[in-house]
């Protein structure tokens, strides 16, 4: 009796496996998981668009190993718990040979153990928490990590903002936020600064007034807010309402057109660090910006400029394709070996070299919100 349901499920999965998508011999299936809807939807959509552009360019140039890449994309709804489910499905049911994703570290951390166990290489375009690639030797990223980003923002606070006392406001639901807060604090104290007060919130909260009142009472020179854009925008609004008139600044998690749409004048003048700005570009990056602007449009029909997630999404897919070409196979272990040795790969975000921890070492840029747009301030090299 207890066997029957299992057999029925196995039979059903077998049918779906052969019936749903093209035969695996015709194409190379690559899985992507992203936050295409929900709270961090702009992250997933940007990253996805960059990835799609790369796959289209690869296929137009003849594909990989004589085959076209088929990108299978799953939405995790920006929700905890979904990434594991969709990535298992991509691997077990769809038979993808590699996984691209995610932007948010907590969601990459859900998928990484599954890819590691299945010996399927995973490349996160833009998750910056160190733990992501520490999961195992099949897990890579094409961006810098938060010990670097935290130090960059600590130096920025002391040197550019000339802050002596900084408050830190952390999203305790996010591995990214907790990590970045920690590395910022270490760096800021090292540079002679003082952390005047530390407070927590939960991503998705709507009312931050109690914590902001406590922050105001500690009279810091600035507030470090390593959160994502929706929360960051609401926090900036409520800080202004409470008369907390000091700079608020954050990391790459602030980067979204929605930061300005939600925060409006409350986010003006504030700063954040990120990976890329379309104005600072190599020849390769200029090509990417042009192709992206041709391919994607804003809601009002004007050409859309790529952000960091789009550029890193593009690079993650390009590097994977290059690794499969050099490995002359899609075999997970062989592709992993080539990825681990990848040096000076020229992409939209500059050169990517994968180090011994399977991370990339790259410069950070600091941007300022100016007249509703993100203005380039400076580049900080590692
Ligand atoms: N680095 C962030 C994280 O690890 C995600 C992110 C990347 C957000 C790039 C914006 C831009 O969670």
């Amino acid at each position: 009796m207890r066997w029957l349901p299992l057999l029925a499920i196995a039979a059903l999965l077998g049918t779906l496996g052969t019936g749903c998508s093209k035969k695996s011999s015709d194409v190379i299936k690559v899985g992507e998981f992203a936050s295409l809807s929900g709270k961090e939807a702009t992250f997933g959509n940007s990253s996805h668009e960059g990835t799609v552009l790369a796959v289209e360019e690869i296929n137009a140039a003849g594909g990989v190993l004589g085959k076209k890449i088929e990108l299978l994309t799953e939405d995790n709804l920006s929700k905890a718990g979904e990434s594991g489910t969709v990535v298992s499905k991509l691997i077990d049911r769809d038979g993808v040979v590699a996984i691209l994703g995610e932007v948010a570290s907590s969601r990459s951390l859900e998928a990484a153990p599954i890819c590691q166990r299945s010996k399927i290489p995973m490349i996160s375009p833009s998750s910056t928490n160190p733990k992501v690639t520490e999961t195992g030797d099949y897990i890579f990223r094409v961006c810098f990590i938060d010990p670097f980003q935290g130090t960059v923002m600590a130096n920025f606070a002391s040197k550019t903002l000339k802050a002596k006392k900084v408050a830190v406001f952390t999203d305790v639901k996010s591995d990214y936020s907790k990590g970045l807060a920690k590395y910022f604090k270490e760096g800021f104290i090292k540079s002679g600064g003082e952390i005047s007060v530390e407070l927590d919130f939960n991503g998705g909260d709507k009312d931050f007034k109690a914590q902001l009142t406590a922050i105001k009472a500690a009279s810091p020179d600035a507030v470090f807010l390593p959160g994502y854009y929706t929360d960051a925008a609401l926090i900036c609004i409520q800080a202004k309402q409470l008369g907390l008139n000091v700079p608020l600044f954050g990391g790459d998690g602030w980067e979204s057109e929605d930061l300005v749409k939600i925060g409006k004048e409350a986010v003006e003048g504030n700063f954040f660090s990120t990976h890329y700005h379309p104005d600072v570009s190599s020849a390769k990056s200029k090509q990417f910006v042009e192709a992206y602007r041709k391919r994607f449009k804003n809601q009002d029909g004007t050409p859309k400029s790529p952000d960091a997630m789009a550029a890193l999404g593009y690079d993650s897919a390009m590097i994977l394709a290059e690794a499969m070409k050099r490995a002359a196979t899609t075999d997970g272990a062989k592709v992993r070996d080539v990825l681990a040795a990848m040096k000076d790969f020229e992409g939209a975000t500059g050169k990517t070299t994968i180090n011994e921890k399977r991370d990339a070492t790259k410069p950070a840029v600091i941007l300022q919100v100016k007249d509703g747009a993100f203005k380039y301030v400076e580049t900080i090299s590692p």
Side-chain angles (χ1 to χ4, degrees), residues 43 103-105 126-129 176 228 252-253 255 274-275 308-309:
F43 285 176
V103 173
S105 289
S126 48
S127 286
T128 46
N129 187 280
Y176 158 76
Y228 292 148
D252 53 353
E255 189 172 0
T274 186
H275 308 259
M309 289 134 285

Side-chain angles (χ1 to χ4, degrees), residues 43 102-108 124-129 132 141 143-144 146 149 174-177 180 227-229 251-256 273-275 307-309 312:
F43 285 176
E102 227 257 14
V103 173
S105 289
S106 293
R107 296 194 280 268
S108 287
S124 164
S126 48
S127 286
T128 46
N129 187 280
V132 172
R141 79 181 102 215
C143 60
F144 58 63
D146 285 333
Q149 182 166 218
S174 150
D175 293 285
Y176 158 76
S177 189
L180 191 51
Y228 292 148
Y229 61 91
D252 53 353
W254 279 37
E255 189 172 0
S256 168
S273 51
T274 186
H275 308 259
D307 57 15
M309 289 134 285
L312 288 165

